[in-house]
Every structure is written in structure tokens, then in C-alpha cells.
């Protein structure tokens, strides 16, 4: 099957430092792919490059066979390339419904505002926010804001959805609900790329993993295989620990747990 | 499911309830009162059109623009020059509107990438630059001496009526634009930009194009108004056409009525002109200071404007507190 | 033509005054994020105070620096603490409109009390001639005082406790608050220093130019342009911006007339706003 999204040797430099360096990967339709890596690895920068927030210093981005390297964010969302933010970005003084309707109207191509509100209501029900439709976005709790962000992206009717740490700052019950929600989104045929720190989430959802370290793609493939890749263990825990692991032969899955702290910080 | 959707959709408070009677009352002024009142009614219409226009960029979009006088002045000069070149008056007004819109599109492309204070300063600087240009470019603008226009025939009463109805029509059209914008896709996009520009970009709003469109809409009727008032006064000069005072008065009117509300700016313009006439004509020496006091009062006691969100709520809240205190 | 020493000298004298005019304005803008539309009128106010003290009380205008500056400091502190602090976190439009409203009140009152007729102090201090170049001594003194005061402010900002607190608030307000810096007082202090600098400028202006309310808008315009050229909230920025504008106006004024010189200043400002909104020196700040 031809890839939906193809990233080809994409780099981005900030004052001589490569935040993302010659990264190439593809997303096939219907996949759920996890993008992992230590803080500062360049994960969010990569998402920004794919969605037009930043322009790559080198390389190309292809979406549905078209070169979209030079696109602006609004063009990306109209094409069906939606994303959520690590730090949620609502329209604070609009209602929850209006927030989602904006996504449906502009990104999702709804024909009119009433139609956009119908679509919005549908997705609010999907994420379980329908009872709060008339509340102002500002008044929502963090988990609800994350759901709002999700509903807004979904209302854009994306083909590819890039989720940037949707679980950061949530407690474990909320995370369980979020996993279920992501699974349902995938079941609707949306291809998903997930930036995630929590291995639990990654392993329960992803078909495939990409590992970024110092801006470079150091491994990709089956989640279990990637997680036991020595280069990945080294990236997360340092070479000394990795050598120990090799000797003891313990599963790197558990070894990766210390870095599971749900970080809400915007380091990368 | 359909019912749940329609139940959450609130009716929009657009303000037609008071706007229509107000407009009718205004339209009747020149028929029943003398020329002085017709003149004041013309000012109300003019400032209402200007404040409605400013509201598109300053209220809907949230960009603190102080370019109003640049557009008014440009419209005035374009209209005057074309009329002096032999173009019929009405046609000159339309042409001046087009010139102003074009200018706003080009200018918007350049300055709308600035934000906050920088945009505010840039937009004031445009007014100053235009004024200086108008006083230096003597061959076209008559320089500091200004330009005379042909005096409208038929006596002052007749002329007063003609110019009143011209301004009245501009106000009505500007109000219709406002009403349309409030329901339109563009208007919704502008409100998104006002709330969070990056998020607007992310949901698919073409932010740059929308902002330029808003800037052009905010300039359009300023151009018409400028051209009409040039014909009305039949003389223009750089400091009158590109007046810094006007460029700040108009946003104050919009704030007074409620920035971002659909028709609030009309109310703001009406109240402002009435206050200006009653107070300031009596204390001529202190007219500017009074305007200053109004501004300070507005900011501390009426931050949302007369129609803005919060006023009624706050008033009723205060009443409730009073009632509780007395009980 | 470029090397005509008279034009150069005029430009430098003008530039030093511009730097002094802009530095207080820039400080307030940079730290409080408030555009003080009253800045021009504050300068004129102290200019009038200096003039009338000279006319009626025969006070040496240079001495008035020690009287007028503290007066304006107190005025600025009270204004910020009592009024502007209440709306300081509201959007640009609100704070700008408020200071503009206050400016209208002050401007109007000055017009009524002092009348707009230009007033001029005549000191007859003679002039310094070097070859073809003639430098009036009053302007020369004013220039050195303007530079001196600007550098003094720089030094105070770097070394004093209040200065460091202001810099800290400018860099990160929330972090500064967590460190126990009283934000409201720092804001009031900043605005007061801005007013003090305006006061000092007013004195120097009264010595070198006729004082009239008509030029308060012009002075404000200069402050804008200098800030944008040099960058916000930094003393070196105001110095560079002020001197640059003084030289530009002096040269273009001689070649194409004063109006073109002012126009060029605005055009330069607009172009810089679009291309380099942090000014020529970037975000140097007071550190």
C-alpha cells in the first residue's frame, strides 16, 4: 500500500544545532505509530515540521503523494493532517461547542456554521464532552481540555492525526480512558502518530515505534523489538546502564520505566 | 440527537431590537429639525460607520488599530482630487472607497504581521506618515494649504440633507456588513484569530488572508466617509484629514459601545457625539480634558462597554448584593 | 557633504536629546508593557515649570533639574500606583487608551494654564567655535547632561537594588514575584523613573528649544521612533536609536528639508517594525 505520509531526509537547524537531523519515515493508512525518545530528542519539532508550523531546513514531506514541504499549518489541517498540542490551545472565551465547530468549519470543510455545529456535537458526544458543550473552554479541567483538543482535531476530519503527549498530566484512570478513546479513533480509519512518554500506552496501542534521539531516528519497527534495541536502551539510560542490562539480560521494558514520569514540560 | 443540537444553539444578541428604531429616528431628524440637528445627526452616522468599521479589526479580530484617520484622510484626498479632476461627486466617493480598500490591502499585508504594541505603533505611524506626505506633496495635495472642493449647489439646508442621507446610507451599509460578518465564516475565523492566533491557524483558518480581509473591511467605509465629508465641508487640509484625535476617538466610541459586539459601536458613537455636543460646547476650553475623563471613566467603570459582556451581569450582581445587604 | 562637521555636530546634539527623551519611555514600555502616551506632555510640563521658575523666580534652569525631576518622579509613582496598576495586565488597547486619555487631560490643562504660545529661555551662554563649526554652549551643555543622565540611569539600573528588581521583573515577572519582589511597587518605581527622565528632558528642552504644548505629540513620536530603531527597554538601545535618529534628521533635514526628515524617520520605523521588531541592538535589556 502506498504511504499516506512520507517524510524524506527532513532536517531542521536552530542556529547551527540540528534539532531534527535527516529523519525519514512513512505512515501507512490505518497504522498507529508511536514516536518516542528522551526529552529534547526533537519529537515536537518533528511534528511541527510535518504540520507546517516550522519549515524544514532540508528534506521533503509528502502527503497523499503531493509535496507539502512548504505548507502552512492551516493548509495542513485542510488537507487532513491534524495535530494536538502538548500544551492545549483552546479558544478560551468561546464555548466548547464553538471550539470544536471551528475545527469542523475550517479544517473539516463543513459547508456552513450550523452544519459545523452539528459535526462538532457529534464529536463532543464521541469524546464525552457533550454535556459541557455550552461551557466556556476556559472553565474546563485539564483532562476535559485534552478531550476538547481531541474533539477539535477530529472535527477536522483528519486522515492523519498527530497526538503530542495527550496523556501528559493525566492520572492513570484518565489515561485508561484516553487509550480507549484513541483506539476508537483508529477504528474509524484515522492513521495515528502518537508522541508518548508512557511505555504502557505505547505498548498497548502502537503497531510500530519510531525512536528519536538527539534529532536522529535511531530505531524503528515492532515495539518489543525496538524497546530491546541496545541503541534505544542506551539513549534512554546512558551507556553504562545499557551495558549492565546486557549482562543481566533484564527486559528493557521495565528498565525504561524510570523515565516514565509524565512530563508536562515543553522541553522539546 | 438533532434536538440536543438545536437546544444548545443560543439566539445571537445582535442588537437589531434597538438599532432599527434608532436608525428610523435618525432618518427623520433632518425632516423635522433644523440644519444644526441635521448636522449632528450626520456626525452620529459618520462616527457610527467609522466605529463599526474599526470594530472589524479592533473588536472582532483583536488588533489594536489606530489607522482609522489614515483611511479617512486617504478617502478624503482621493475623493477631492478626483472630484476636482471633473469626476461626478458620487462616482468620486465610490472611487475613493476603492482606492482606500486597495491601500488597506497592501498596507495590511505589510503591517499585520506585527502584533500588540508594535501593531498599534505601526498603525499610528501610518497616520503620521500620510499626513506628512500630504503636506509635502504639494503638486497633488496642495500641501499645507489644503484643497478646495466645489460647493454643493442648492443652499445649506438642501446640502445638509443630501450629505446626511449619504452618511446615513454608509452607516446602514456598515451595520449590514457587521451583521453579515457576525454570522459569516470569515467572522467566525476572525474571532478565532482574536482568541488565539496559533490555534486558529491549526484548525485551518487562513489567518493572514482573514486578517487582511478584516483590515480591508475596516478601511472600506472610512474611505467613503472621508470622501463624503470632504465634499460636505468642501475644504480639506492635512491635519484635519489625517487627524490623530479622530484616530483615537473612533476606537474609544467602539469601546464605549462594546468592542466585539455587533452593533454596539453605533450606540457608542451616538452617546459619544451627544456627550461631546452637550458637555463640550459648553466648556469649550476643556473639551479635550473632558474626552480624557470619559476615557478614564470608561476604562475603570465600563470595561466591556455599554453592550459588552459583563455589564448587565455585574449590575445585577451588584443589585443582588445590595439586596442581600439590606435584607 | 557627509563629513560636514556642522551637520554632524547638530545631529549629535539632537541625538543626545532624543536618547534622553526615549530612554524613560522605553523603560516603561519594556518593563510594564505599557505605552505611555503621556510621555511627551510630561516633558512639556517640566519644560514649563522650568521656564516659569526662570522667568518669575530667576532660578537657574540647570538647577531646576534637581527640583523638577523629583516632582515628576513623585507624580509618576502616584499615577502608576493609584491608577495604571489597576489595568496593567489588560490588553494593549486598554492601557494605551488609558494613558492617552490621561494625556488629553494633562495636555488640555497645560493649554489652559500655560497657553500654547512658545516660551523660550534665553541664557546667552555664548558659543564654542571650532573652525567653521559653531556650537551654542547651552545646547552643548544640554547634550552632555542628556548623555550623562542617560548613562547615570544605565548605572543605577545595573547597580541599585531597585534597578536590579526592575530588570528582574522585565525578564520574568512571575519568577521575580516568586523571589519576593513586590511587583506593584516595582511597576510604580519604573513608571516614576520614566517620568523622572521625562522631567529631566523637559528641563534640557526648555534650555535649548522654545517650549509649547504643540510639540508634545512630536516628542512622543520621537520616542516611538527611537525605541523601534534601538529596541525596547534598553538604555544602550535608546542611545543608539536616539543618536541614529538625530543624525538622520540632521542630514536629511539639511538636504531635503525638515518635513522629509521627519517622514523618513517614520518610514524607517515602519520598515524596522516589519523587518526587525527587536530593534537594531536586539533584546539587550538592562542587564
Amino acid at each position: 500500500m502506498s504511504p499516506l505520509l512520507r517524510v524524506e531526509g527532513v532536517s531542521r537547524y536552530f542556529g547551527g544545532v540540528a534539532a531534527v537531523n535527516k529523519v525519514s519515515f512513512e505512515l501507512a493508512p490505518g497504522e498507529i505509530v508511536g514516536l518516542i525518545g528522551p526529552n529534547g530528542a526533537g519529537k515536537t519539532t518533528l511534528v511541527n515540521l510535518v504540520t507546517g508550523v516550522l519549515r524544514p531546513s532540508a528534506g521533503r514531506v509528502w502527503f497523499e503523494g503531493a509535496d507539502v514541504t512548504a505548507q502552512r499549518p492551516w493548509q495542513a489541517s485542510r488537507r487532513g493532517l491534524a495535530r494536538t498540542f502538548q500544551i492545549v490551545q483552546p479558544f478560551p472565551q468561546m464555548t466548547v461547542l464553538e471550539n470544536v465547530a471551528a475545527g469542523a468549519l475550517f479544517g473539516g470543510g463543513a459547508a456552513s456554521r450550523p452544519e459545523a455545529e452539528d459535526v462538532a456535537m457529534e464529536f463532543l458526544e464521541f469524546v464525552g464532552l457533550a454535556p459541557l458543550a455550552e461551557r466556556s473552554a476556559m472553565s474546563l479541567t485539564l483532562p476535559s481540555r485534552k478531550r476538547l483538543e481531541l474533539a477539535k482535531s477530529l472535527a477536522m476530519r483528519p486522515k492523519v492525526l498527530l497526538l503530542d503527549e495527550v496523556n501528559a498530566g493525566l492520572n492513570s484512570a484518565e489515561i485508561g480512558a484516553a487509550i480507549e478513546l484513541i483506539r476508537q479513533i483508529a477504528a474509524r480509519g484515522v492513521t495515528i502518530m502518537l508522541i508518548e512518554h508512557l511505555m504502557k500506552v505505547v505498548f498497548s496501542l502502537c503497531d510500530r515505534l519510531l525512536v528519536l534521539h538527539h534529532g536522529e531516528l535511531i530505531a524503528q519497527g515492532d515495539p518489543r523489538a525496538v524497546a530491546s534495541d541496545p541503541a534505544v536502551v542506551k539513549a534512554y539510560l546512558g551507556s553504562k546502564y545499557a551495558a549492565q542490562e546486557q549482562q543481566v539480560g533484564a527486559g528493557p521494558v521495565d528498565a525504561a520505566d524510570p523515565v516514565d514520569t509524565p512530563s508536562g514540560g515543553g522541553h522539546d | 440527537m438533532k434536538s440536543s443540537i438545536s437546544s444548545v444553539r443560543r439566539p445571537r444578541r445582535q442588537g437589531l431590537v434597538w438599532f432599527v428604531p434608532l436608525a428610523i429616528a435618525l432618518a427623520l431628524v433632518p425632516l423635522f429639525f433644523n440644519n444644526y440637528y441635521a448636522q449632528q445627526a450626520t456626525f452620529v452616522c459618520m462616527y457610527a460607520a467609522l466605529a463599526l468599521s474599526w470594530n472589524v479589526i479592533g473588536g472582532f479580530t483583536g488588533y489594536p488599530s489606530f489607522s482609522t484617520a489614515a483611511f479617512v484622510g486617504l478617502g478624503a484626498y482621493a475623493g477631492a482630487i478626483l472630484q476636482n479632476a471633473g469626476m461626478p461627486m458620487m462616482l468620486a466617493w465610490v472611487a475613493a472607497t476603492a482606492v482606500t480598500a486597495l491601500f488597506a490591502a497592501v498596507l495590511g499585508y505589510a503591517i499585520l504581521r506585527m502584533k500588540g504594541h508594535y501593531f498599534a505603533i505601526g498603525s499610528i505611524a501610518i497616520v503620521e506618515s500620510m499626513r506628512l506626505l500630504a503636506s509635502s506633496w504639494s503638486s497633488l495635495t496642495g500641501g499645507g494649504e489644503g484643497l478646495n472642493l466645489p460647493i454643493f449647489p442648492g443652499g445649506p439646508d438642501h446640502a445638509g440633507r443630501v450629505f446626511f442621507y449619504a452618511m446615513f446610507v454608509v452607516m446602514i451599509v456598515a451595520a449590514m456588513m457587521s451583521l453579515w460578518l457576525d454570522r459569516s465564516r470569515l467572522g467566525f475565523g476572525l474571532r478565532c484569530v482574536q482568541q488565539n492566533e496559533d490555534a486558529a491557524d491549526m484548525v485551518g483558518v487562513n489567518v493572514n488572508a482573514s486578517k487582511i480581509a478584516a483590515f480591508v473591511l475596516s478601511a472600506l467605509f472610512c474611505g467613503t466617509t472621508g470622501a463624503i465629508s470632504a465634499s460636505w465641508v468642501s475644504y480639506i487640509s492635512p491635519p484635519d484629514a489625517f487627524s490623530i484625535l479622530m484616530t483615537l476617538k473612533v476606537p474609544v466610541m467602539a469601546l464605549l459601545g462594546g468592542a466585539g459586539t455587533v452593533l454596539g459601536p453605533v450606540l457608542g458613537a451616538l452617546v459619544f457625539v451627544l456627550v461631546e455636543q452637550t458637555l463640550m460646547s459648553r466648556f469649550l476650553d476643556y473639551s479635550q480634558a473632558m474626552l480624557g475623563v470619559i476615557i478614564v471613566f470608561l476604562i475603570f467603570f465600563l470595561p466591556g462597554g455599554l453592550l459588552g459582556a459583563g455589564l448587565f451581569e455585574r449590575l445585577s450582581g451588584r443589585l443582588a448584593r445590595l439586596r442581600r445587604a439590606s435584607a | 557633504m557627509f563629513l560636514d562637521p556642522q551637520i554632524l555636530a547638530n545631529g549629535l546634539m539632537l541625538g543626545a536629546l532624543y536618547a534622553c527623551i526615549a530612554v524613560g519611555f522605553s523603560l516603561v514600555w519594556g518593563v510594564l508593557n505599557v505605552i505611555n502616551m503621556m510621555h511627551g506632555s510630561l516633558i512639556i510640563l517640566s519644560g514649563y515649570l522650568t521656564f516659569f521658575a526662570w522667568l518669575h523666580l530667576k532660578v537657574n534652569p540647570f538647577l531646576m533639574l534637581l527640583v523638577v525631576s523629583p516632582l515628576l518622579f513623585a507624580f509618576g509613582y502616584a499615577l502608576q500606583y493609584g491608577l495604571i496598576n489597576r489595568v496593567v495586565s489588560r490588553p494593549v488597547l486598554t492601557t494605551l487608551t488609558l494613558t492617552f486619555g490621561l494625556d488629553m487631560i494633562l495636555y488640555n490643562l497645560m493649554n489652559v494654564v500655560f497657553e500654547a504660545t512658545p516660551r523660550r529661555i534665553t541664557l546667552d551662554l555664548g558659543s564654542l567655535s571650532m573652525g567653521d563649526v559653531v556650537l551654542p554652549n547651552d545646547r552643548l551643555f544640554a547634550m552632555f547632561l542628556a548623555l550623562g543622565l542617560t548613562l547615570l540611569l544605565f548605572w543605577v539600573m545595573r547597580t541599585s537594588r531597585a534597578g536590579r528588581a526592575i530588570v528582574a521583573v522585565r525578564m520574568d515577572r512571575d519568577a521575580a514575584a516568586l523571589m519576593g519582589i513586590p511587583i506593584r511597587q516595582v511597576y510604580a518605581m519604573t513608571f516614576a523613573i520614566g517620568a523622572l527622565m521625562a522631567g529631566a528632558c523637559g528641563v534640557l528642552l526648555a534650555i535649548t528649544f522654545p517650549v509649547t504644548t504643540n510639540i508634545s505629540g512630536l516628542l512622543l513620536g520621537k520616542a516611538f521612533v527611537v525605541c523601534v530603531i534601538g529596541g525596547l527597554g534598553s538604555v544602550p538601545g535608546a542611545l543608539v536609536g536616539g543618536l541614529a535618529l538625530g543624525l538622520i534628521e540632521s542630514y536629511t533635514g539639511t538636504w531635503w528639508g525638515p518635513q522629509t526628515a521627519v517622514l523618513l524617520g517614520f518610514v524607517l520605523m515602519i520598515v524596522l517594525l516589519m523587518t526587525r521588531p527587536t530593534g537594531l541592538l536586539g533584546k539587550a535589556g538592562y542587564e
Side-chain angles (χ1 to χ4, degrees):
Chain A
M1 212 179 320
S2 66
L4 200 49
L5 178 76
R6 187 148 64 91
V7 173
E8 215 176 70
V10 160
S11 302
R12 172 71 195 205
Y13 304 98
F14 291 115
V17 181
V20 168
N21 196 8
K22 296 191 192 108
V23 168
S24 301
F25 67 88
E26 292 178 352
L27 294 185
E31 269 191 306
I32 304 184
V33 175
L35 176 62
I36 64 168
N39 280 330
K43 301 184 295 288
T44 297
T45 307
L46 184 59
V47 171
N48 285 341
L49 290 170
V50 170
T51 53
V53 176
L54 293 171
R55 187 76 62 87
S57 313
R60 304 238 145 269
V61 180
W62 303 81
F63 184 68
E64 294 188 306
D67 184 346
V68 298
T69 315
Q71 71 187 340
R72 304 276 309 126
W74 63 273
Q75 292 171 315
S77 32
R78 286 184 189 187
R79 280 195 178 105
L81 197 53
R83 66 159 316 168
T84 65
F85 280 89
Q86 201 174 343
I87 297 151
V88 287
Q89 300 260 9
F91 302 115
Q93 278 152 31
M94 287 187 181
T95 64
V96 167
L97 182 71
E98 282 171 324
N99 264 273
V100 181
L105 185 62
F106 297 103
S112 66
R113 277 171 69 171
E115 189 189 314
E117 288 184 6
D118 290 349
V119 173
M121 205 59 209
E122 187 188 315
F123 284 105
L124 282 176
E125 271 165 18
F126 177 68
V127 301
L129 278 183
L132 304 177
E134 282 302 289
R135 292 267 293 278
S136 84
M138 213 167 34
S139 69
L140 296 186
T141 58
L142 182 69
S144 296
R145 280 187 205 199
K146 298 249 173 190
R147 280 168 185 269
L148 171 62
E149 188 84 354
L150 211 53
K152 203 162 75 175
S153 322
L154 288 173
M156 292 187 237
R157 304 227 181 258
K159 296 179 181 114
V160 173
L161 184 57
L162 303 156
L163 299 173
D164 194 348
E165 301 204 18
V166 275
N167 295 311
L170 303 188
N171 68 31
S172 67
E174 290 160 354
I175 288 170
I179 291 176
E180 192 43 45
L181 203 56
I182 294 169
R183 203 167 269 142
Q184 283 172 25
I185 295 167
R188 291 175 162 233
V190 179
T191 305
I192 293 174
M193 186 156 113
L194 195 66
I195 294 189
E196 194 49 76
H197 274 300
L198 300 173
M199 290 302 167
K200 182 175 92 180
V201 177
V202 171
F203 284 123
S204 66
L205 280 174
C206 297
D207 307 321
R208 201 151 63 83
L209 280 190
L210 305 174
V211 187
L212 215 54
H213 183 50
H214 290 324
E216 288 180 36
L217 201 59
I218 56 168
Q220 61 173 313
D222 175 74
R224 302 274 155 190
V226 164
S228 51
D229 186 324
V232 175
V233 178
K234 196 169 141 188
Y236 267 98
L237 303 169
S239 46
K240 218 165 140 190
Y241 197 85
Q244 269 176 31
E245 285 301 313
Q246 288 293 304
Q247 284 166 3
V248 179
V253 176
D254 304 318
D257 264 330
V259 292
D260 277 356
T261 43
S263 85
H267 298 297
D268 36 341
Chain B
M1 165 129 181
K2 277 275 172 216
S3 65
S4 75
I5 294 163
S6 50
S7 69
V8 296
R9 217 174 276 147
R10 296 151 303 162
R12 257 173 241 288
R13 277 193 315 186
Q14 289 185 315
L16 280 172
V17 186
W18 55 265
F19 178 73
V20 173
L22 174 69
I24 294 172
L26 268 175
L28 296 177
V29 168
L31 301 181
F32 293 102
F33 296 94
N34 67 26
N35 201 17
Y36 169 79
Y37 290 100
Q39 197 185 337
Q40 298 315 315
T42 313
F43 278 127
V44 171
C45 294
M46 177 176 113
Y47 280 117
L50 293 177
L52 283 166
S53 301
W54 180 88
N55 193 38
V56 176
I57 188 78
F60 280 80
T61 321
Y63 270 65
S65 167
F66 293 96
S67 285
T68 300
F71 301 137
V72 173
L74 180 65
Y77 270 96
I81 291 166
L82 290 170
Q83 228 184 306
N84 282 343
M87 194 182 268
M89 186 175 76
M90 301 265 188
L91 203 58
W93 295 349
V94 175
T97 309
V99 168
T100 311
L102 194 68
F103 172 73
V106 176
L107 182 67
Y109 181 79
I111 70 168
L112 282 165
R113 61 188 75 186
M114 305 175 204
K115 294 201 173 92
H117 286 103
Y118 291 107
F119 178 78
I121 297 303
S123 64
I124 297 179
I126 297 293
V127 178
E128 276 298 287
S129 307
M130 300 274 286
R131 188 177 57 75
L132 288 163
L133 195 66
S135 10
S136 332
W137 196 349
S138 311
S139 57
L140 186 69
T141 62
E145 315 213 321
L147 281 180
N148 286 302
L149 280 90
I151 290 173
F152 194 77
D157 283 352
H158 173 63
R161 258 176 229 161
V162 168
F163 288 112
F164 166 79
Y165 285 110
M167 286 293 190
F168 181 77
V169 169
V170 176
M171 176 188 78
I172 295 295
V173 176
M176 278 160 56
M177 173 203 57
S178 225
L179 288 165
W180 164 78
L181 193 64
D182 182 50
R183 295 167 201 218
S184 73
R185 192 183 158 90
L186 174 63
F188 192 23
L190 294 177
R191 287 195 192 276
C192 290
V193 171
Q194 189 257 332
Q195 296 269 300
N196 184 337
E197 201 164 324
D198 291 332
D201 199 358
M202 283 307 149
V203 298
V205 179
N206 185 348
V207 172
N208 286 333
S210 305
K211 286 195 298 191
I212 293 173
F215 205 51
V216 170
L217 285 178
S218 84
L220 213 56
F221 303 115
C222 296
T224 327
T225 305
I228 295 175
S229 56
S231 305
W232 184 28
V233 187
S234 66
Y235 168 73
I236 52 170
S237 66
D240 295 339
F242 300 101
S243 149
I244 285 288
L245 201 59
M246 173 192 269
T247 224
L248 287 139
K249 242 158 97 170
V250 169
V252 168
M253 292 175 191
L255 290 175
L256 179 61
T261 61
V262 185
L263 292 171
V266 176
L267 207 60
L270 174 76
V271 171
F272 193 99
V273 172
L274 289 180
V275 170
E276 197 173 34
Q277 281 311 310
T278 49
L279 275 181
M280 298 182 187
S281 55
R282 243 169 265 175
F283 308 97
L284 211 53
D285 285 347
Y286 293 93
S287 59
Q288 258 201 326
M290 275 207 220
L291 181 54
V293 171
I294 292 174
I295 290 175
V296 174
F297 176 85
L298 178 63
I299 284 172
F300 285 106
F301 298 102
L302 262 185
L306 293 167
L307 290 185
L311 176 64
F312 290 105
E313 286 81 348
R314 276 191 305 131
L315 278 182
S316 55
R318 204 164 282 178
L319 274 178
R321 267 201 301 281
L322 278 178
R323 236 175 272 143
R324 242 176 288 139
S326 62
Chain C
M1 200 77 145
F2 272 109
L3 295 172
D4 185 328
Q6 184 70 57
I7 304 179
L8 183 69
N10 289 348
L12 288 175
M13 284 192 287
L14 204 57
L17 201 58
Y18 285 169
C20 192
I21 288 172
V23 75
F25 178 78
S26 166
L27 181 70
V28 171
W29 188 353
V31 177
L32 274 69
N33 204 21
V34 167
I35 291 184
N36 179 15
M37 299 289 282
M38 294 177 82
H39 199 73
S41 295
L42 289 175
I43 295 173
I44 298 298
L45 174 66
S46 66
Y48 274 125
L49 292 177
T50 311
F51 173 82
F52 284 105
W54 169 79
L55 187 70
H56 297 304
L57 307 170
K58 308 283 174 251
V59 182
N60 183 316
F62 286 103
L63 276 181
M64 284 302 282
L65 268 180
L66 301 175
V67 182
V68 171
S69 309
L71 263 180
L72 266 95
F73 180 91
F75 179 64
Y77 195 96
L79 198 64
Q80 176 70 34
Y81 200 84
L83 223 53
I84 305 175
N85 261 344
R86 290 166 199 271
V87 294
V88 79
S89 51
R90 290 235 224 119
V92 175
L93 188 66
T94 306
T95 52
L96 196 148
T97 314
L98 174 64
T99 57
F100 180 69
L102 293 169
D103 179 63
M104 288 173 107
I105 300 171
L106 178 61
Y107 179 89
N108 196 159
L109 294 182
M110 286 197 300
N111 262 342
V112 172
V113 177
F114 303 125
E115 291 163 359
T117 35
R119 319 268 182 163
R120 174 147 211 175
I121 294 177
T122 40
L123 285 177
D124 289 324
L125 296 175
S127 54
L128 183 70
S129 306
M130 291 188 298
D132 295 337
V133 187
V134 181
L135 304 168
N137 278 335
D138 51 1
R139 292 204 177 179
L140 210 54
F141 289 148
M143 174 180 99
F144 282 118
L145 274 171
L147 285 178
L149 286 167
T150 309
L151 292 172
L152 181 69
L153 177 66
F154 186 52
W155 180 75
V156 167
M157 295 301 288
R158 281 182 79 99
T159 54
S160 74
R161 222 178 130 78
R164 296 325 290 171
I166 289 172
V167 173
V169 172
R170 173 184 146 79
M171 286 163 77
D172 189 333
R173 200 189 67 162
D174 297 332
L178 287 175
M179 295 295 125
I181 295 175
I183 302 293
R184 279 174 65 90
Q185 274 93 324
V186 168
Y187 278 174
M189 179 65 97
T190 309
F191 198 88
I193 293 176
L196 177 142
M197 289 308 288
C201 279
V203 176
L204 301 179
L205 187 82
I207 295 166
T208 45
F209 290 94
V211 178
T212 159
T213 44
N214 291 336
I215 61 165
S216 76
L218 191 86
L219 296 174
L220 184 66
K222 301 294 177 208
F224 280 158
V225 179
V226 170
C227 271
V228 172
I229 294 178
L232 269 190
S234 97
V235 176
L239 259 179
V240 169
L243 290 173
L245 183 64
L247 289 171
I248 290 169
E249 285 194 357
S250 180
Y251 279 102
T252 48
T254 319
W255 294 340
W256 298 305
Q259 230 165 29
T260 316
V262 180
L263 182 62
L264 193 75
F266 279 118
V267 171
L268 181 69
M269 171 172 117
I270 294 167
V271 170
L272 274 174
L273 273 174
M274 292 186 305
T275 54
R276 259 196 89 90
T278 48
L280 290 178
L281 290 193
K283 275 191 175 161
Y286 280 87
E287 36 290 322

